[in-house]
Amino acid sequence: MTNPKSKIRQARFASEAHPSDTLLCTTEEKTASDGQNLPPNPKSVAILGAGAWGTALANLAAANGHRVGLWSRRGSQPLETILEDADIILSAISMKGVADVVEQIKYAPISPETIFVTATKGLDPQTTCTPSQVWQTAFPDHAVVVLSGPNLSQEIELKLPAATVVASDVTAAAELVQLVFSSHRFRVYTNPDRLGVELGGTLKNVIAIASGVCDGLHLGTNAKAALVTRGLTEMVRIGNIWGAKTGTFYGLSGLGDLLATCNSPLSRNYQVGYQLASGQTLTEILANLSGTAEGVNTCQVLVQIAQQKNIVIPITEQVYRLLQGEVTPRQALDELMLRDMKPEYND
Ligand SMILES: NC(=O)c1ccc[n+]([C@@H]2O[C@H](COP(=O)([O-])OP(=O)(O)OC[C@H]3O[C@@H](n4cnc5c(N)ncnc54)[C@H](O)[C@@H]3O)[C@@H](O)[C@H]2O)c1
Ligand SMILES: O=P(O)(O)OC[C@H](O)CO
């Protein structure tokens, strides 16, 4: 019988989030320090994107004893080498790079059994497609899984407990991904509503920007509660038109992620809003932001969709106008407070 330990190889993580670290961990050290049993059948996981989230996910899978390769466009390892024999290819590329990377690997020799997982929370500005739709279009015969939830990467890197959702219409694929990432500090649920889970994580970024503005203006807890609750109403409205299930938005990937990002200064989207409220320009903020605030781009795509489909999304619209420099934070607040009177529910 093969000793499963012999299957563990050193994972060399060339992290962009931590450029000074060339060797963040070995899978062996991670497994031992976490006190987890090695899996009987370790999987080969290729993670694309060595930013904050890709690195955190790579560490989670490595800690469970899986063979992990982490690819960065700035690293020395060729993409094809990382993809070789991968059971799972997980993309944690920011939205602006997804189409590029898909194009690069479209014709790579990938086993038909390989599962694609996307952890990106954004919308393609050209097509308005979600990342999982982009992956599924390029790889129509492969299972595509979305991984999304209240997952601030810095807390996960500190080994604080968190939960997430893996969603796919291919149940077996979602269950395999669940197994690979689950641990005593990362609880993973499955969900068949791939689109709903993906949109929850994506749409909340715009509300997180608004929440940062709310806190930056010191508007209080009542205002924040109203903003997040009405923000969730907007998310459900957009999601329903897109074909997502309402209930999904009340789960971890919707409400859960709203609670995390709308209340944490660790959220880059929240930071954008907070700094706008402090009088900085968007250009200044983005120039100094560490990592990606997807809500800035998502907001533009949503306004475009809302205009085409006649969807009422007042908070998103005000965030858009604020990002465009058309209104000040105070003017955006007044516009929202002085809208026509209406019943709470008229959908
Ligand atoms: N950081 C988090 O806490 C967190 C948690 C959950 C989900 N996410 C989502 O994960 C995605 C990545 O977030 P992040 O925080 O890791 O961002 P990041 O800015 O730290 O990393 C983005 C990664 O994408 C890569 N990339 C961008 N364009 C590329 C291109 N053209 N070709 C190849 N690679 C390219 C970058 O090199 C980098 O590795 C975002 O969609 C974000 O919303 C982030
Ligand atoms: O830093 P943010 O705002 O991109 O949020 C990160 C994750 O989406 C939190 O779940």
Side-chain angles (χ1 to χ4, degrees), residues 190-223:
T190 59
N191 188 321
D193 182 13
R194 188 180 91 183
L195 181 65
V197 167
E198 191 169 35
L199 286 178
T202 294
L203 304 184
K204 63 82 196 170
N205 283 334
V206 177
I207 309 303
I209 296 177
S211 293
V213 175
C214 184
D215 284 357
L217 292 177
H218 306 290
L219 300 181
T221 309
N222 294 333

Side-chain angles (χ1 to χ4, degrees), residues 3 13 19 54 68 100 103 151 166 170 205 212 237 271 277 306 330:
N3 175 1
F13 294 159
V68 180
D100 259 14
E103 207 49 46
N151 298 149
V166 287
V170 184
N205 283 334
R237 204 176 280 153
Q271 285 172 32
R330 284 274 166 198

Side-chain angles (χ1 to χ4, degrees), residues 32-279:
S33 67
D34 278 14
Q36 295 282 292
N37 289 327
L38 292 173
N41 185 12
K43 299 293 172 194
S44 175
V45 185
I47 299 206
L48 312 182
W53 192 215
T55 305
L57 286 167
N59 282 329
L60 284 170
N64 282 351
H66 299 286
R67 296 183 298 272
V68 180
L70 181 59
W71 177 79
S72 157
R73 62 181 157 167
R74 301 198 182 95
S76 53
Q77 213 164 7
L79 189 47
E80 305 77 56
T81 317
I82 295 275
L83 299 179
E84 257 169 36
D85 304 325
D87 299 301
I88 291 174
I89 298 175
L90 184 149
S91 159
I93 307 275
S94 44
M95 190 69 237
K96 65 176 185 332
V98 170
D100 259 14
V101 175
V102 165
E103 207 49 46
Q104 285 180 58
I105 68 172
K106 211 165 160 184
Y107 303 106
I110 294 169
S111 153
E113 304 297 316
T114 303
I115 297 167
F116 285 90
V117 182
T118 164
T120 305
K121 294 176 175 173
L123 292 173
D124 183 71
Q126 263 75 50
T127 61
T128 74
C129 284
T130 68
S132 77
Q133 289 169 338
V134 175
W135 285 102
Q136 191 74 81
T137 304
F139 299 94
D141 301 328
H142 288 255
V144 174
V145 177
V146 165
L147 187 152
S148 188
N151 298 149
L152 296 157
S153 62
Q154 288 184 59
E155 292 190 0
I156 287 169
E157 292 285 49
L158 288 171
K159 301 192 176 183
L160 294 170
T164 202
V165 185
V166 287
S168 179
D169 41 6
V170 184
T171 309
E175 287 174 351
L176 184 86
V177 178
Q178 178 182 43
L179 207 61
V180 165
F181 287 96
S182 289
S183 69
H184 66 293
R185 61 187 168 94
F186 198 60
R187 184 160 174 77
V188 185
Y189 292 87
T190 59
N191 188 321
D193 182 13
R194 188 180 91 183
L195 181 65
V197 167
E198 191 169 35
L199 286 178
T202 294
L203 304 184
K204 63 82 196 170
N205 283 334
V206 177
I207 309 303
I209 296 177
S211 293
V213 175
C214 184
D215 284 357
L217 292 177
H218 306 290
L219 300 181
T221 309
N222 294 333
K224 175 72 93 54
L227 174 67
V228 174
T229 309
R230 294 308 298 174
L232 182 57
T233 304
E234 276 188 34
M235 288 165 57
V236 170
R237 204 176 280 153
I238 300 164
N240 284 165
I241 288 182
W242 221 304
K245 292 199 176 80
T246 301
T248 307
F249 290 93
Y250 296 102
L252 282 168
S253 57
L255 177 61
D257 210 354
L258 267 179
L259 292 174
T261 35
C262 293
N263 292 306
S264 174
L266 292 178
S267 157
R268 285 80 47 94
N269 290 287
Y270 176 96
Q271 285 172 32
V272 168
Y274 196 96
Q275 290 168 26
L276 282 170
S278 317

